[in-house]
Amino acid sequence: MAQDITPITMPKFGLAMTEGKIAGWLVEPGASITAGEELVDIETSKITNTFESPLAGTFRRQVAANGEMLPVGALIGVVADAAVPDADIDAFITRFQAEFAESAGDGEGDAVADEPVTVTVGEYTLRLHERGEGDEIPLVLIHGFGGDLKNWMFNHAALAQGRRVIAFDLPGHGGSSKDVGPGTLEFFAGVTIRLLDHLDLPRVHVMGHSLGGGIALTLARMAPQRVASLVLVAPAGLGRQINMDFINGFIAADRVRALQDVLKYLVHDKSLIGRRMADDVLRYKRLDGAEAALRTIAAACFPAGQQGDDLRPDIQAADMPVTLIWGQADEVLPATQAEGLPAAITRHMLADIGHMPQLESATAVNTIVEEFIKTKVATS
């Protein structure tokens, strides 16, 4: 069905242009458009131009939000026949973005202007990437076991509309220092609190994935006054079961092919895990202290091959709005662990999606988060 779907990408208005900002969409999803019809105003460092549709069809999806800054070639919209299912559109968007990110990593695409930085927080060095500005309460993104801030590459910019959004590498991961202390959720929550202090952020929304979801819940218990809301994506701590073939395989893998096979546990659509992604993860795994850090975390959080932390009391006692996002095809943490939670917690169970909804169904996840913060949080 991909042949019936056409991407609309950030155009290049001149040789010097490397990125553009969506100044304003001129059509709504579902509209029938003609070739040459004005689609969107795009602002560059020099001028604002109106981009015209290169084809006729049905405008199915605004992938880039108003105000979002994206590199040339990035996906901003989708045109497809009205008969193409939404699920096919979602799969097309996910695959396009994954391939675009991979080509950018190979140096074939235009680089994004903003880059991560390192900050010193007490005795820890943390790699941090901040996007967005505005008066809204900031959002902090906490990745999972073995991940890094790039786990949010399809969400970070999209969520940074009217607020600061901060992603960072946990200790022991990515470009951060490799000292993980006892490797417990409390340790990582404590480091996160110190980072909030360093950035002078008295109160934030927190979005955590997997182990990062467990850290987010622990943070809300340790410092509830600092947490405005919780978005938990396939969070740890809601059941005993965990796929230790993934955990142990991830720690042990020292070749690209072996790691690529392990990373496939993370998604339902296995074609999303390319060699470039595995190579990028392996580069960080090979840093001094990285493997030992992962083993310490696994021993602390998954003793005897099970999750050691029961965070159900924490989620039941949480004194802030909470929403849950989980892929029903999760092969790492069973989606059934979302059952039996308080009725006030909205559960978004995504069909044919694995352990990383923020990758496989980025548009849906971004919409869920924006609506959650805009409505339920605003009225709480």
Side-chain angles (χ1 to χ4, degrees), residues 28-31 58-62 78-87 89:
E28 294 292 329
T58 302
F59 184 64
R60 292 292 299 275
R61 194 70 60 84
Q62 291 178 357
V78 171
V79 173
D81 189 271
V84 176
D86 285 339
I89 301 287

Side-chain angles (χ1 to χ4, degrees), residues 173-209:
H173 296 75
S176 292
S177 54
K178 299 303 180 278
D179 178 9
V180 296
T184 60
L185 298 181
E186 288 79 7
F187 165 80
F188 289 112
V191 172
T192 305
I193 291 170
R194 294 169 71 176
L195 176 62
L196 298 183
D197 292 340
H198 177 83
L199 298 174
D200 193 23
L201 299 176
R203 195 162 180 258
V204 295
H205 302 294
V206 182
M207 182 173 181
H209 169 244

Side-chain angles (χ1 to χ4, degrees), residues 8 28 30 38 89 93 96 148 160 173 181 195 203 213 230-231 238 259 274 286 293 306 309 313 320 336 345:
I8 302 296
E28 294 292 329
E38 295 181 345
I89 301 287
I93 292 170
F96 185 101
D148 64 15
H173 296 75
L195 176 62
R203 195 162 180 258
L230 287 172
V231 178
L238 300 187
L259 184 58
R286 286 173 170 165
Q306 295 183 316
D309 295 279
M320 68 281 297
T336 53
I345 298 174

